[in-house]
Amino acid sequence: MPYDMISADPLVRACRLIKSPAELALMQSANNVTLEALRFVHAQVERGMDSANISALMDRATVSLGGSPSSHLVLLNEASAYPHGSLQVQAVGEGSTI
């Protein structure tokens, strides 16, 4: 039985573009948690830490602030020049890009 395919874009866009006050409040809460976790992590980064160390620190900070555990993409040094990083392990050093 053949089906007519139509784009769902108009429906999806309508659902994504209009937010209720409750949705906006949830998004603001998540943003607040993320920003506070980033402030905490920024103050904790030390020379020699690698992406996994910083990602784990961000995860713990996010959870301690009431957020959900997540995988965080932390790109260091040369890896920060690539959209998804690099397989080569990078460590924080003097003047590192994080």
Side-chain angles (χ1 to χ4, degrees), residues 5-93:
M5 300 292 272
I6 61 170
S7 173
D9 188 55
L11 176 62
V12 172
R13 288 182 60 76
C15 291
R16 295 186 78 194
L17 291 174
I18 299 171
K19 302 290 184 233
S20 71
E23 288 173 304
L24 290 171
L26 285 171
M27 291 170 71
Q28 185 62 60
S29 179
N31 190 46
N32 293 344
V33 166
T34 300
L35 288 173
E36 191 57 37
L38 284 168
R39 284 186 193 98
F40 173 80
V41 170
H42 179 265
Q44 305 301 314
V45 173
E46 297 177 353
R47 225 179 253 183
M49 293 176 85
D50 64 19
S51 298
N53 301 139
I54 298 170
S55 180
L57 189 60
M58 183 67 181
D59 196 44
R60 288 192 302 273
T62 300
V63 170
S64 74
L65 292 164
S68 299
S70 178
S71 60
H72 304 279
L73 180 60
V74 177
L75 303 177
L76 302 174
N77 306 316
E78 181 186 350
S80 68
Y82 306 111
H84 300 285
S86 165
L87 295 177
Q88 183 178 355
V89 176
Q90 305 277 321
V92 175

